[in-house]
Amino acid sequence: MTNLEEFIEEINRFEAIISEWDESQRCVAVGLKGAIEALHKEALTRLIKSLKQESISALRHAADDQVVYAVLLYHDLVKPPLPPILQRIQAALDEVRPGLKSHNGDIELVAFKPPDTVEVRLIGTCSSCPASNLTLSQGVEQAIKNYCPEITQVVAVGDRSTVDNTNTGLTTPFPPTITTAWVRVATVEQIPDAGIFVSKVGGHSLILYRQGDRITCYRNACSHLASPLDGGKVENGIITCPTHGFQYQLDTGKCLTADVPLHSYPVQIKGDKAFVKISR
């Protein structure tokens, strides 16, 4: 009997027979198996140490044998072969992709640059998110390094549609016109003291916060992955994003979790009405 499959088939046959014994008999068989395996592992460990000292090439040649390698692998005396690095990188990206897609984002592999650098591209909302660096370091980079310990650098490259026109002499003959206007969004009474009020104006979703006579206004989107904030808990002037727990001071827009403040809008109070300056 020289074929590995035949050895495995024979082992499986005996294990099937033992599985039908009563518990006490199985315990004896399992104990005997464990004792024999421990003896074999200790003998193999000593043999490997001796061969390493005498001839490492002889040890490698021996491990090339299918049966020898299978036994060494069974006893955790050799490491299983790793899949190709590109396959492992894609597996890492597949792991983080569902979270990115839940926020209308995605990621793609741009290049693997031996020996230790991976270039990726954030897509969709992730590409323009103010917290994209945080997403890269906390999510993507960690996942890639878990799958590929040999990778030391993960770099995010720009969007494919980005074109550098520096020194090309090209100009835009009709630059887009951006207009702003003061828009009434609420009455002062509608905004609860120390609470928030949600308003939608011209495609903008806004949250307004009132503290006494002072009102502040922000885009209703977490600066991390643009999740709506209006469902978050407000306590002591701090709102917590209900999706990933990012916290913001509502009087200043400052983020307490990372350096990614909220997008703010100027506010004017006229009588009992609150006006916000927005772009159109």
Side-chain angles (χ1 to χ4, degrees):
M1 188 181 297
T2 58
N3 186 280
L4 179 60
E5 285 73 19
E6 292 177 349
F7 282 114
I8 294 175
E9 183 179 345
E10 187 73 358
I11 292 171
N12 290 338
R13 185 174 70 84
F14 280 110
E15 287 184 339
I17 294 173
I18 293 174
S19 67
E20 298 180 357
W21 293 356
D22 62 47
E23 185 176 356
S24 61
Q25 291 174 315
R26 287 200 305 272
C27 287
V28 172
V30 171
L32 176 61
K33 176 187 175 185
I36 294 174
E37 287 179 349
L39 174 63
H40 288 174
K41 183 174 182 178
E42 180 60 26
L44 289 169
T45 301
R46 296 185 184 188
L47 178 62
I48 289 171
K49 288 181 179 178
S50 177
L51 281 173
K52 278 184 176 180
Q53 294 175 355
E54 298 294 331
S55 175
I56 189 67
S57 61
L59 177 60
R60 289 171 177 164
H61 180 72
D64 287 337
D65 182 274
Q66 185 183 39
V67 176
V68 173
Y69 179 80
V71 173
L72 295 178
L73 184 63
Y74 178 83
H75 288 291
D76 295 323
L77 296 176
V78 293
K79 293 181 179 180
L82 290 172
I85 189 166
L86 289 178
Q87 182 178 332
R88 286 182 282 137
I89 293 171
Q90 289 292 359
L93 298 185
D94 289 341
E95 181 178 288
V96 300
R97 185 167 280 118
L100 299 177
K101 285 189 173 181
S102 68
H103 299 284
N104 298 317
D106 205 342
I107 190 168
E108 65 180 7
L109 174 64
V110 176
F112 164 57
K113 296 188 174 181
D116 59 3
T117 301
V118 170
E119 290 184 349
V120 296
R121 178 181 289 112
L122 295 169
I123 303 171
T125 58
C126 296
S127 63
S128 58
C129 172
S132 58
N133 288 336
L134 190 67
T135 301
L136 185 72
S137 62
Q138 290 189 351
V140 177
E141 182 175 350
Q142 189 58 52
I144 290 177
K145 289 182 177 180
N146 287 342
Y147 279 83
C148 312
E150 63 268 48
I151 297 299
T152 61
Q153 296 186 77
V154 179
V155 181
V157 300
D159 190 275
R160 283 171 297 188
S161 62
T162 300
V163 178
D164 184 4
N165 288 329
T166 304
N167 297 325
T168 62
L170 297 177
T171 60
T172 304
F174 301 105
T177 301
I178 300 175
T179 61
T180 60
W182 288 97
V183 180
R184 185 174 70 84
V185 292
T187 63
V188 174
E189 289 183 354
Q190 285 180 302
I191 308 170
D193 191 25
I196 63 170
F197 176 79
V198 182
S199 178
K200 292 185 178 180
V201 180
H204 298 266
S205 180
L206 312 173
I207 55 171
L208 292 94
Y209 171 72
R210 182 165 70 90
Q211 190 174 28
D213 295 330
R214 184 170 183 265
I215 296 176
T216 51
C217 179
Y218 306 100
R219 178 183 295 160
N220 184 21
C222 176
S223 296
H224 176 211
L225 288 173
S227 302
L229 288 171
D230 56 282
K233 181 180 179 182
V234 178
E235 189 174 19
N236 298 323
I238 296 172
I239 189 168
T240 301
C241 175
T243 306
H244 293 115
F246 274 52
Q247 293 188 315
Y248 302 89
Q249 290 180 333
L250 286 167
D251 59 341
T252 63
K254 178 182 179 182
C255 181
L256 302 178
T257 309
D259 188 18
V260 283
L262 292 175
H263 180 97
S264 62
Y265 296 85
V267 177
Q268 280 186 357
I269 306 299
K270 295 183 179 180
D272 64 343
K273 298 177 179 64
F275 292 78
V276 173
K277 190 177 185 180
I278 61 174
S279 300
R280 291 181 173 180

